[in-house]
């Protein structure tokens, strides 16, 4: 493992013989420069992991990378020795297509899909990668938590929490299965409340069973490719949601998947850019269930 270069080395020339990245961080963005800059600042604080950033911008009439705060954070990442790939992807064919576009540019053994409105506590990516390796499953998620809800405890929603006791194994989740009810775990600040009750040592993590995880998920890239990635995008209209649910349920059926607590991922609680959710991707691609929108 090669850590990020510290500030005392930022002005030194970069060697051409850097180790390959452990993880490609795939960030889709559209029209949210302030949130994106915050996301990149959190990413730059992940100094204990070798990563590459692949940023794909669909902002109309503007270049997100040219916004001063975003540009500054990109310079920090590059000074740290983290490769940065900037993609312009103006034609909007939907969330699934955008995620597949990012995956097509990935080469690392793991890929972290990180939404452009998520701040990460230092050490979060390292813990996620360690969990992915140790558990040997297809994905590990750090569910985003809204800290404005920190005083809003919801035991009726967290009662379904179930740690993985033993190895993570494949399972099928659909509406009507017990696993589907786990979706309430990720509402509001529920992950923070459950983590506080676990009393995990600093830097540790506990794996648990999930319905799915949004916004911050690291995948074994080979597993994601084996289930087809997000290539199902052409079966969906451009306006859709739930594409990550489809990919994760397919992976869970073959390789298993897990969340970890504490999460370390904070939702910025900005308004969503996905306002039309009438088409939920699992409704189209799985004929034996339908899913409800996930309201925070």
């Amino acid at each position: 493992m090669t850590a990020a270069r510290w500030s005392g080395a930022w002005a030194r020339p970069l060697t051409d013989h850097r180790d390959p990245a452990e993880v490609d961080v795939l960030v889709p963005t559209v029209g949210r420069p302030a949130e994106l800059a915050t996301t990149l600042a959190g990413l730059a604080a992940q100094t204990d992991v070798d990563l590459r950033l692949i940023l794909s911008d669909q902002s109309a009439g503007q270049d997100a990378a040219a916004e001063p705060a975003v540009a500054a954070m990109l310079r920090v990442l590059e000074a740290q020795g983290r490769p940065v790939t900037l993609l312009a992807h103006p034609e909007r064919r939907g969330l699934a297509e955008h995620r597949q576009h990012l995956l097509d540019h990935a080469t690392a053994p793991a890929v972290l899909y990180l939404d452009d409105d998520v701040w990460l506590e230092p050490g979060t990516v390292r813990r996620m990668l360690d969990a992915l390796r140790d558990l040997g499953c297809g994905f590990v998620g750090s569910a985003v938590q809204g800290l404005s809800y920190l005083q809003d405890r919801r035991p009726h929603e967290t009662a379904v929490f179930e740690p993985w006791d033993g190895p993570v194994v494949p399972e099928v989740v659909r509406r009507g299965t017990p696993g589907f009810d786990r979706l309430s775990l990720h509402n509001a600040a529920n992950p923070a409340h459950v983590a506080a009750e676990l009393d995990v040592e600093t830097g540790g993590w506990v794996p648990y069973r999930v319905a799915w995880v949004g916004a911050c998920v690291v995948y074994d890239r080979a597993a994601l490719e084996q289930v087809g990635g997000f290539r199902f995008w052409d079966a969906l209209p451009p306006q859709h949601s739930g594409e990550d649910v489809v990919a994760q349920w397919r992976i869970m059926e073959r390789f298993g998947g897990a969340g970890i607590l504490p999460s370390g991922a904070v939702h910025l609680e900005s308004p969503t850019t996905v306002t039309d959710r009438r088409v939920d991707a699992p409704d189209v691609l799985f004929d034996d269930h339908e899913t409800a929108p996930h309201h925070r």
Side-chain angles (χ1 to χ4, degrees):
M1 181 189 75
T2 302
R5 301 200 309 174
W6 80 297
S7 56
W10 285 355
R12 295 174 186 165
L14 285 167
T15 175
D16 292 330
H17 303 290
R18 289 175 288 177
D19 293 334
E22 295 177 83
V23 58
D24 286 335
V25 182
L26 311 181
V27 179
T29 191
V30 56
R32 298 207 285 193
E35 291 86 347
L36 177 60
T38 303
T39 298
L40 296 179
L43 194 59
Q46 309 300 308
T47 55
D48 55 355
V49 60
D50 233 349
L51 61 84
R52 175 173 68 133
L53 169 66
I54 305 177
L55 175 66
S56 182
D57 184 14
Q58 291 194 316
S59 303
Q62 65 184 104
D63 178 5
E67 295 290 332
V70 174
M73 290 301 99
L74 293 173
R75 288 192 290 268
V76 168
L77 287 163
E78 291 174 325
Q80 290 176 328
R82 273 75 179 278
V84 172
T85 298
L86 301 177
L87 305 173
H89 194 56
E91 187 172 0
R92 301 184 66 176
R93 300 174 179 172
L95 298 169
E97 191 275 340
H98 201 187
R99 292 192 186 278
Q100 183 59 44
H101 176 68
L102 282 159
L103 184 59
D104 288 340
H105 288 82
T107 57
V111 292
L112 169 61
Y113 277 97
L114 183 65
D115 283 4
D116 64 354
D117 59 349
V118 178
W119 176 85
L120 297 180
E121 176 187 35
T124 297
V125 176
R126 175 79 271 151
R127 293 187 308 114
M128 294 178 74
L129 287 173
D130 288 348
L132 185 69
R133 180 196 65 229
D134 293 352
L135 297 172
C137 56
F139 72 82
V140 166
S142 286
V144 296
Q145 47 211 326
L147 296 189
S148 69
Y149 297 90
L150 206 54
Q151 305 309 314
D152 179 7
R153 293 185 176 272
R154 304 181 180 185
H156 60 289
E157 293 185 346
T158 59
V160 293
F161 174 72
E162 184 180 358
W164 277 104
D165 184 12
V168 174
V169 297
E171 60 177 335
V172 174
V173 175
R174 297 286 190 276
R175 176 181 287 280
T177 67
F180 188 84
D181 294 336
R182 304 170 194 153
L183 64 90
S184 66
L185 284 169
H186 298 161
N187 290 341
N190 288 346
H193 295 144
V194 176
E197 295 172 357
L198 295 173
D199 195 26
V200 183
E201 65 180 16
T202 302
W205 48 271
V206 172
Y208 67 99
R209 296 174 182 263
V210 297
W212 67 84
V213 187
C216 182
V217 182
V218 64
Y219 297 87
D220 178 292
R221 185 168 65 88
L224 182 56
E225 291 283 9
Q226 284 185 49
V227 301
F230 295 87
R231 293 183 181 88
F232 53 79
W233 67 266
D234 58 359
L236 299 169
Q239 298 298 325
H240 63 261
S241 61
E243 78 294 337
D244 46 353
V245 180
V246 172
Q248 289 175 36
W249 282 0
R250 287 178 171 176
I251 288 176
M252 290 169 77
E253 292 176 14
R254 293 183 59 181
F255 306 101
I260 59 169
L261 291 175
S263 163
V266 176
H267 187 237
L268 300 184
E269 302 186 56
S270 296
T272 182
T273 58
V274 184
T275 55
D276 187 343
R277 295 175 177 265
R278 286 173 293 178
V279 176
D280 201 8
D283 290 346
V284 177
L285 294 158
F286 295 91
D287 59 10
D288 56 349
H289 85 291
E290 59 181 13
T291 62
H294 184 191
H295 297 295
R296 294 189 61 81

